[in-house]
Amino acid sequence: ATVNLPFDAFRLVRGPRLVPGVPPLSAAQTNETYQISLVVSKFEVSETGAALPGFEEGLFAMRLHELGTFSTRPPPFSRSMPRALSEREQAKAAPPLLRLLRPLLGLVFGEPTRRRRAATRLLEARGSSRLQRARLGWAWRVAAGGPLVAARKTAALGLKDAGGFALSLPVRLLFKLIVWSSKMVKTIIRALTLLAEERKEGAPAANAASA
């Protein structure tokens, strides 16, 4: 099914609560929009934030086939637009070094990895322990495909995390080295500045003593 959401249907919220007195999103503000998120909540979007009637706890899944923009008015002029490159064409047009490092970078900076880190930080903020997060992830994988599939996915995630940590370790060490070098340079500059000031202060005293 196709769902059309006009810009003026979006309202500013804080959690599930509408922020009163704020006008809806306008088309002129779309250039200031940098991210679109889908949030599953058991509360209705209102100024009271009341719970949805008939809400049921459990797993939720939704598959998006396409995301784009639409207009209810015909364009003022027609102009041929360049064809969008396919994923294969984009990968082929990338520099050789990027094509070589892309699988490795995907382990550390890929979208699934970023989502898992964001979910982990959210669960940590809610007070969950490492064991509780592991049990929750295992329960989700078992519910999705059974114990064997859950074991395979858990092992794959463990290997992926280990590989990502090994790849990110040199970068972390390099970052720490840069920070340490920057601090050392600042310390040396500060010491040289103090030494120069002491020499300037000691010069008049020496001249007065010789006079």
Side-chain angles (χ1 to χ4, degrees):
T2 301
V3 179
N4 293 331
L5 299 175
F7 290 125
D8 55 9
F10 290 85
R11 297 283 304 277
L12 182 62
V13 296
R14 291 289 184 269
R17 296 179 181 269
L18 282 173
V19 179
V22 179
L25 183 69
S26 64
Q29 294 174 304
T30 55
N31 288 335
E32 303 174 5
T33 304
Y34 300 99
Q35 182 176 356
I36 297 177
S37 303
L38 298 177
V39 180
V40 181
S41 175
K42 66 178 180 180
F43 303 100
E44 63 180 12
V45 180
S46 63
E47 295 185 6
T48 59
L52 289 170
F55 180 83
E56 296 182 1
E57 298 282 351
L59 299 177
F60 175 82
M62 182 176 63
R63 178 173 295 179
L64 294 178
H65 295 277
E66 187 177 1
L67 182 66
T69 58
F70 71 98
S71 176
T72 57
R73 295 179 299 177
F77 59 91
S78 61
R79 183 177 60 181
S80 60
M81 300 295 294
R83 182 181 61 86
L85 297 178
S86 64
E87 293 185 1
R88 180 177 298 180
E89 291 173 337
Q90 293 179 17
K92 187 177 180 180
L97 181 60
L98 181 59
R99 293 202 301 267
L100 180 63
L101 297 178
R102 180 172 290 162
L104 302 178
L105 295 176
L107 293 175
V108 184
F109 305 106
E111 182 65 21
T113 303
R114 292 198 299 267
R115 290 182 180 179
R116 287 185 57 216
R117 289 174 180 172
T120 300
R121 288 194 296 267
L122 179 60
L123 293 174
E124 287 177 348
R126 294 179 178 179
S128 66
S129 64
R130 186 184 298 272
L131 180 60
Q132 289 174 332
R133 295 193 298 272
R135 287 178 176 177
L136 179 61
W138 174 261
W140 283 349
R141 298 181 195 109
V142 170
L148 294 178
V149 175
R152 179 176 59 83
K153 290 185 177 180
T154 301
L157 287 174
L159 292 175
K160 185 176 181 180
D161 290 342
F165 177 78
L167 291 174
S168 64
L169 188 59
V171 178
R172 294 179 182 179
L173 294 177
L174 179 61
F175 178 76
K176 290 183 178 181
L177 178 62
I178 293 175
V179 173
W180 179 81
S181 302
S182 177
K183 291 182 179 180
M184 288 298 298
V185 170
K186 291 181 180 179
T187 302
I188 294 174
I189 293 176
R190 190 180 301 111
L192 293 177
T193 303
L194 292 176
L195 181 61
E197 292 178 353
E198 291 177 356
R199 288 182 177 179
K200 289 181 180 180
E201 293 176 356
N207 293 333
S210 60

